[in-house]
Amino acid sequence: VIRAICGVGMYTTRTCHRCSTRFEVDHVTDTALRLPLLSPEAQFDARLREREEQTPVSLTDLLDAARRPETIEGYDCNECRRRSARAGEEHARSRITQHGSVISATRDVVIIVLYRFAHALDASGNFRPTKVTRKVSFPTELNLDTGGYSLFGVVSHLGTTLSAGHYVSAVRSRRDDMWYECNDELVKPLSVKALYDGRPVTAVRDGAEPYILF
């Protein structure tokens, strides 16, 4: 039921440099778009992690990074293997270009999860959980290849660590088109101008990092 309302269909494309065959793999339907806020290298490099975390990024940048092509060496291409067998030649592994997170379908609601929680390598060589506080700007109107979507909910996390903190939500009312903050049983109007004037939004409350977008 959840996937029928907010499912996101995605797949990966691979193109072989030797035989030029393009094929699709890993077709999945998830409940959300899940976007890392740091590069994979940043979890191993403290200086890089600090530099990236202090550099603001846009939601569009994160979507582009998720789809950025990568080159993979030594790939065992099935089509190259078939052609080598037909020609009576020894099969050799090839190089491919891979595009991941290609969006093939979205439903009525799109959920975007900003990965605020990660694991980083500490001075002792151990991975430790850490919260990513990188500032992310996101629009109130998002255009994807599969359609356009209007922001109507933001879940934010208050706190500096994974072991403590609090979640608050900002929601747009369908009754009066106004934004409200929901903090446990307390509900109050929000006056963040960017929610109303079309500018990119970076936060809906001071000291709270947006975590899930609807």
Side-chain angles (χ1 to χ4, degrees), residues 34-214:
R34 307 174 192 276
L35 301 176
L37 302 189
L38 301 176
S39 65
E41 296 78 13
Q43 64 178 331
F44 300 100
D45 187 328
R47 290 184 179 179
L48 177 60
R49 182 172 68 251
E50 182 179 3
R51 187 163 63 249
E52 289 187 3
E53 196 161 0
Q54 293 177 353
T55 303
V57 67
S58 71
L59 181 62
T60 300
D61 292 336
L62 295 175
L63 289 168
D64 290 342
R67 297 189 292 252
R68 189 168 296 139
E70 61 177 323
T71 300
I72 300 175
E73 302 284 352
Y75 185 79
D76 187 3
C77 174
N78 289 333
E79 180 60 26
C80 286
R81 182 178 291 276
R82 282 193 290 268
R83 293 185 183 186
S84 296
R86 286 199 301 266
E89 301 172 348
E90 182 179 356
H91 170 63
R93 291 177 177 267
S94 61
R95 176 189 303 162
I96 66 166
T97 296
Q98 175 170 286
H99 290 77
S101 301
V102 180
I103 301 174
S104 58
T106 51
R107 305 295 191 272
D108 293 339
V109 176
V110 169
I111 300 174
I112 298 177
V113 178
L114 305 175
Y115 272 174
R116 291 286 175 191
F117 310 111
H119 288 81
L121 200 64
D122 62 18
S124 302
N126 299 314
F127 281 101
R128 59 177 177 82
T130 182
K131 179 182 176 180
V132 181
T133 59
R134 189 177 194 180
K135 184 177 291 186
V136 179
S137 62
F138 50 91
T140 53
E141 299 291 333
L142 177 65
N143 291 313
L144 300 173
D145 292 339
T146 53
Y149 293 88
S150 299
L151 184 73
F152 69 90
V154 180
V155 177
S156 301
H157 180 261
L158 294 110
T160 58
T161 68
L162 299 180
S163 57
H166 183 63
Y167 290 96
V168 295
S169 297
V171 296
R172 189 178 67 192
S173 170
R174 296 181 63 182
R175 177 174 297 179
D176 59 11
D177 210 34
M178 298 291 291
W179 281 87
Y180 295 87
E181 179 184 88
C182 302
N183 184 2
D184 292 337
E185 73 278 1
L186 180 63
V187 178
K188 64 178 183 179
L190 279 172
S191 58
V192 179
K193 292 183 179 180
L195 290 171
Y196 298 99
D197 63 14
R199 289 180 297 157
V201 182
T202 56
V204 294
R205 175 178 173 151
D206 290 339
E209 288 79 24
Y211 175 38
I212 307 176
L213 312 177
F214 297 84

Side-chain angles (χ1 to χ4, degrees), residues 18-51:
R18 176 172 283 116
C19 67
S20 300
T21 300
R22 179 184 179 276
F23 50 99
E24 299 175 0
V25 297
D26 302 334
H27 285 261
V28 298
T29 300
D30 202 347
T31 54
L33 285 172
R34 307 174 192 276
L35 301 176
L37 302 189
L38 301 176
S39 65
E41 296 78 13
Q43 64 178 331
F44 300 100
D45 187 328
R47 290 184 179 179
L48 177 60
R49 182 172 68 251
E50 182 179 3
R51 187 163 63 249

